[in-house]
Amino acid sequence: MSSFHGSSSRHGNLEVTRSLEVVSMPIHGEVDVEKGFRNDGIMLTWEDLWVTVSDGKGNRRAIIQGLTGYARPGELLAIMGPSGCGKSTLLDSLAGRLGANTEQAGEILINGRKQALAYGTSAYMTQEETLITTLTVKEAVYYSAQLQLPDSMSKSEKRERAEMTIREMGLMNSANTRIGGLWGVKSLSGGEKRRVSICIEILTRPKLLFLDEPTSGLDSAASYYVMSRIAKLDQRQGRTIIASIHQPSSEVFGLFQNLYLLSSGRVVYFGPASAANEFFASNGFPCPTLQNPSDHFLRTINKDFDEDVEQGSIGKKTTEEVIDILEGGALVKKNGHASFLTQCFVLTKRSSVNMYRDLGYYWLRLVIYVVLSLGLGTIYHDVGSSYNTIQASGAMLTYIASFLTFMTIGGFPSFVEDMKVFERERLNGHYGSTAFVIGNTLSAMPYLLLISLIPGALSYYLTGLQRGFEHFMYFASVLFTCMMLVESLMMIVASLVPNFLMGIIAGSGIQGLMILGGGFFRLPNDLPKPFWKYPLHYISFHRYAYQGLYKNEFEGLSFSGSQTGGRGSIRGVDILRDQWQVEMGYSKWVDLGVLFGMVVLYRFIFLCIVKVVEKVQPGIRKIMYLRNSKNIKF
């Protein structure tokens, strides 16, 4: 036997003592007869765990302070406490998901050892359902199965695993229902969505499952149904489950094996949930008859209600915590997830389905583009080839390169939702950043090509631009590449800004500056050299779009009349060089090549940003903690 010896924690005017015996774990691989599962799970322990956050003045404030505890296989550990006590922070710390402005100290051990969790051994479900709402339950779970499960499993085995997981969470009756619904079509309830999220995370049969407020936003009945399904997972499969939960009903509270009660970042009680009532009563705070125990516990330890708490007769003691780290066997590593090519294929297919079903992603934009193209076609209908139409042709081409591509920003809300799904799945190890970027790029190309060809053909032929299939295809290629560029730019913005509104503002502002420096509203030679000419004019993709479209339209043509009304003609190359101040040292295909290169560059920058966040931030947090640990305030 090993045990937590009697120790105490003081919070405001409440002081409580806890004493908990812990049965030592069987040797790794033994069968635990009492619980009925093979005990090869994960024993997670943490000792003297601290998490601090900067106050912006060079000091750091402690959010959780010196916490010690453990979670065992086959048991559900509930982390409870008042709002702001550190529940989610503790959960994030144990799962390795702390934010960039937080720093951590202390030990977190897996089966008694410092080691990283192998892929598939842990999963994390956030408070918010970050799901692709256009998919059905069966599609969402099956696509995730294809991404997460190894290529050594056949498609039929993956499909069977997905269906089994759906059955485990009681979702068979909703398997063919879309998660989000569409225009009056039935969608899932909040509890069903929560269970879909859990389905996705348990496909790999993880031995350790983190749940952040799994009943948040659910009514009492839905909360119980979700938690009862979760509780069955640990009983049948020997899974270690840690859930932060705010205020469970008495029925939900009865499902917990162990309770970790926090107040102001410190542990008040840690032990069997069934013994918590006796513990509080023995210290002078009995739970009133017919009152929900969890409500009583939270009311008692909430510092906002110190004056209302009836004080018990408890002597003052120094807090002392000693935990014996029970060393189990090494983790059994899984075979790994799907191969890189499989990930790219599945992500491309899943994203294509989402884009097809989400009207706001491309279909509404296609309608708007068609309307705008018809507007261009009527305003500039058969613009002609006289000298007086040169300005009109240039303005029309500039509008297409500037404002039609600017409308691509309309897909930003849908992309933000994709980023949320990606962030959750990446953190849980479903696939890598590179596969996501490739899948997103390939799935978007057919739709961008569609909204380049149809509106492009309308605006091109109605306005009577230079005839010839080659000229039209170049025109459509520039339009397509510019749309890809704007989407790539918005991917970068979405990875840097904290919310949707700032993303729209930042993306619009960047494009507005590029349009001003592109060389139409102010000709290249007239641009002020600091900033506008160097470097903005040269890094703005509008410059190369304008030049390419101008060359495509004016090269090889002659325009009748002159500025003075004479009968002569003027060559298109002279207009390009003298009137539009176009760089004539290279062909229009170079301009298109530069645009394509910028697409690749922007996508690569986005990938690098995601990689930096994924790989570099944890190291930076560790260095910053060591430097600032002496400034921690309590």
Side-chain angles (χ1 to χ4, degrees):
M1 302 284 286
S2 63
S3 65
F4 282 109
H5 304 291
S7 60
S8 67
S9 298
R10 184 171 181 85
H11 299 282
N13 55 11
L14 168 67
E15 188 172 20
V16 292
T17 304
R18 68 180 180 279
S19 177
L20 170 66
E21 281 196 342
V22 182
V23 179
S24 59
M25 298 297 295
I27 298 173
H28 180 75
E30 281 188 12
V31 175
D32 189 327
V33 178
E34 181 180 353
K35 291 195 176 294
F37 64 88
R38 188 171 179 81
N39 192 19
D40 57 353
I42 290 178
M43 174 80 168
L44 184 68
T45 60
W46 55 98
E47 185 172 6
D48 195 24
L49 189 62
W50 294 75
V51 173
T52 62
V53 62
S54 173
D55 63 1
K57 300 179 180 179
N59 297 317
R60 305 198 66 80
R61 178 174 58 86
I63 302 176
I64 58 177
Q65 308 175 35
L67 300 186
T68 295
Y70 63 85
R72 298 188 295 194
E75 295 182 350
L76 171 56
L77 171 65
I79 302 174
M80 284 178 52
S83 298
C85 69
K87 299 187 300 294
S88 295
T89 300
L90 174 58
L91 197 71
D92 289 343
S93 178
L94 297 177
R97 288 178 169 234
L98 287 175
N101 63 332
T102 54
E103 294 166 5
Q104 173 182 312
E107 284 192 330
I108 299 176
L109 304 178
I110 302 165
N111 289 344
R113 300 173 181 172
K114 287 184 177 180
Q115 56 181 315
L117 286 166
Y119 169 75
T121 56
S122 71
Y124 188 108
M125 195 192 82
T126 59
Q127 292 187 40
E128 298 180 357
E129 289 86 15
T130 49
L131 300 167
I132 300 177
T133 56
T134 56
L135 301 179
T136 65
V137 172
K138 184 183 294 185
E139 289 171 338
V141 178
Y142 180 55
Y143 279 130
S144 290
Q146 289 181 286
L147 287 169
Q148 298 185 66
L149 299 176
D151 287 343
S152 57
M153 293 181 66
S154 65
K155 287 187 176 181
S156 61
E157 289 174 322
K158 293 181 180 180
R159 190 178 297 278
E160 182 180 353
R161 173 73 67 84
E163 291 177 354
M164 182 188 306
T165 305
I166 291 172
R167 282 197 299 272
E168 284 179 348
M169 296 308 298
L171 288 167
M172 287 303 296
N173 292 334
S174 304
N176 295 314
T177 302
R178 287 195 187 180
I179 294 171
L182 179 66
W183 291 17
V185 179
K186 180 182 181 295
S187 64
L188 299 184
S189 66
E192 288 172 327
K193 290 179 182 178
R194 199 64 52 88
R195 282 182 277 152
V196 172
S197 296
I198 297 172
C199 280
I200 289 172
E201 298 310 330
I202 64 174
L203 281 167
T204 59
R205 297 297 183 258
K207 298 177 182 178
L208 178 60
L209 181 60
F210 297 98
L211 304 168
D212 189 11
E213 299 282 4
T215 61
S216 175
L218 304 182
D219 60 34
S220 179
S223 297
Y224 177 76
Y225 198 82
V226 169
M227 290 306 301
S228 63
R229 289 285 175 173
I230 292 171
K232 289 179 182 178
L233 296 176
D234 59 31
Q235 295 169 2
R236 287 199 300 258
Q237 302 168 8
R239 182 173 287 125
T240 305
I241 301 179
I242 306 175
S244 69
I245 192 163
H246 179 60
Q247 200 163 10
S249 65
S250 56
E251 292 82 5
V252 171
F253 185 80
L255 298 171
F256 305 149
Q257 281 89 14
N258 290 317
L259 174 64
Y260 203 88
L261 197 56
L262 294 176
S263 179
S264 301
R266 295 183 179 274
V267 63
V268 174
Y269 173 82
F270 173 38
S274 58
N277 252 335
E278 180 183 350
F279 165 73
F280 271 76
S282 66
N283 287 281
F285 302 98
C287 179
T289 305
L290 301 180
Q291 182 172 338
N292 182 353
S294 62
D295 290 342
H296 171 68
F297 301 154
L298 296 179
R299 181 182 64 84
T300 303
I301 66 173
N302 195 328
K303 296 176 69 175
D304 294 337
F305 305 101
D306 283 346
E307 296 180 358
D308 299 329
V309 177
E310 182 182 354
Q311 297 302 304
S313 56
I314 308 171
K316 295 182 179 180
K317 297 181 181 179
T318 304
T319 301
E320 181 182 355
E321 288 188 335
V322 178
I323 184 171
D324 295 327
I325 305 298
L326 303 172
E327 185 167 329
L331 291 177
V332 179
K333 294 194 175 183
K334 302 215 172 183
N335 293 327
H337 40 57
S339 68
F340 177 74
L341 291 178
T342 300
Q343 290 177 4
C344 292
F345 174 77
V346 174
L347 287 172
T348 301
K349 184 178 179 181
R350 187 180 74 173
S351 184
S352 295
V353 172
N354 181 41
M355 292 171 180
Y356 176 77
R357 293 178 180 173
D358 187 347
L359 296 180
Y361 222 126
Y362 289 113
W363 299 118
L364 289 180
R365 286 161 58 186
L366 175 61
V367 172
I368 293 173
Y369 278 37
V370 168
V371 172
L372 290 175
S373 297
L374 290 174
L376 282 172
T378 53
I379 290 177
Y380 294 101
H381 179 65
D382 199 15
V383 70
S385 59
S386 66
Y387 184 86
N388 294 330
T389 63
I390 293 173
Q391 187 67 28
S393 299
M396 191 271 290
L397 293 171
T398 300
Y399 181 90
I400 290 173
S402 300
F403 298 106
L404 280 190
T405 57
F406 188 92
M407 293 297 296
T408 303
I409 202 172
F412 187 70
S414 298
F415 181 70
V416 168
E417 295 304 312
D418 284 354
M419 285 293 294
K420 291 179 181 178
V421 175
F422 160 66
E423 187 66 17
R424 172 182 61 80
E425 294 179 335
R426 179 189 65 81
L427 286 172
N428 284 333
H430 296 186
Y431 49 83
S433 305
T434 306
F436 169 74
V437 174
I438 292 175
N440 180 271
T441 302
L442 295 179
S443 59
M445 290 176 68
Y447 298 98
L448 290 176
L449 186 61
L450 183 67
I451 62 177
S452 299
L453 290 175
I454 296 177
L458 290 173
S459 57
Y460 193 90
Y461 289 108
L462 285 175
T463 54
L465 296 178
Q466 186 168 178
R467 303 297 178 183
F469 185 70
E470 175 195 330
H471 289 282
F472 168 70
M473 289 307 300
Y474 182 88
F475 172 87
S477 298
V478 170
L479 189 57
F480 167 78
T481 309
C482 287
M483 290 181 181
M484 285 284 291
L485 262 169
V486 176
E487 285 212 345
S488 303
L489 175 64
M490 296 313 297
M491 291 173 74
I492 295 174
V493 171
S495 65
L496 293 175
V497 299
N499 56 56
F500 163 76
L501 180 60
M502 288 188 65
I504 291 290
I505 294 172
S508 302
I510 292 171
Q511 286 195 77
L513 288 175
M514 288 186 173
I515 290 172
L516 287 177
F520 174 78
F521 295 99
R522 188 71 166 161
L523 292 175
N525 293 341
D526 300 327
L527 286 171
K529 290 185 178 180
F531 180 71
W532 293 104
K533 183 68 176 290
Y534 307 106
L536 187 62
H537 179 61
Y538 288 91
I539 64 175
S540 170
F541 72 87
H542 296 87
R543 170 197 170 175
Y544 306 99
Y546 296 164
Q547 288 190 159
L549 291 176
Y550 292 165
K551 292 174 183 177
N552 186 60
E553 174 61 21
F554 291 105
E555 283 183 335
L557 294 181
S558 295
F559 292 82
S560 59
S562 68
Q563 200 168 6
T564 59
R567 295 182 179 180
S569 62
I570 184 171
R571 297 183 307 161
V573 291
D574 295 326
I575 295 171
L576 292 172
R577 184 180 58 252
D578 301 330
Q579 184 164 335
W580 297 120
Q581 298 179 7
V582 171
E583 173 59 56
M584 300 300 294
Y586 48 82
S587 72
K588 64 183 181 181
W589 299 104
V590 174
D591 291 301
L592 181 59
V594 172
L595 291 173
F596 180 77
M598 293 178 88
V599 172
V600 176
L601 176 62
Y602 283 12
R603 298 269 165 164
F604 180 72
I605 291 174
F606 168 71
L607 178 61
C608 290
I609 292 172
V610 175
K611 289 288 188 183
V612 166
V613 171
E614 179 181 359
K615 303 294 185 182
V616 176
Q617 273 191 357
I620 294 176
R621 288 202 300 267
K622 185 175 181 180
I623 294 172
M624 292 296 293
Y625 181 83
L626 294 175
R627 190 180 71 178
N628 297 323
S629 58
K630 61 183 179 181
N631 295 324
I632 296 176
K633 291 184 177 181
F634 306 104

